[in-house]
Amino acid sequence: MPQPAEAKVWMDGTNACIQTGNLRAVMNQYGRVTFYYKDKMILNEKPELAFDCGIRNYRNKGGDLWTAR
């Protein structure tokens, strides 16, 4: 079951950052998001998927399940 968690949000130069526990997400000035776990990169958006088309496409698959394109 989801539980409340402490989160920190801050700006680091031109990057926007959010962190809860050991998980951190960083969005750069162009909208590219990189995810870190314990300061190790675990997921990085590929520019050809999110930036050449100019938009991201999110769809709800029902309940808490989402897809992103």
Side-chain angles (χ1 to χ4, degrees):
M1 299 298 295
Q3 297 185 11
E6 290 286 325
K8 295 185 272 184
V9 179
W10 70 95
M11 292 295 296
D12 184 13
T14 59
N15 297 328
C17 307
I18 184 168
Q19 181 168 345
T20 182
N22 293 319
L23 186 62
R24 177 172 39 106
V26 178
M27 179 183 288
N28 72 14
Q29 64 188 0
Y30 305 107
R32 186 173 183 177
V33 182
T34 305
F35 294 89
Y36 298 88
Y37 179 74
K38 294 184 177 180
D39 293 326
K40 180 181 176 186
M41 185 180 67
I42 59 171
L43 181 64
N44 192 18
E45 285 187 308
K46 293 182 179 182
E48 64 271 13
L49 296 179
F51 303 101
D52 289 343
C53 64
I55 62 167
R56 292 181 184 92
N57 184 353
Y58 298 103
R59 291 185 186 227
N60 184 278
K61 302 290 271 184
D64 291 335
L65 183 60
W66 287 79
T67 61
R69 179 175 179 212

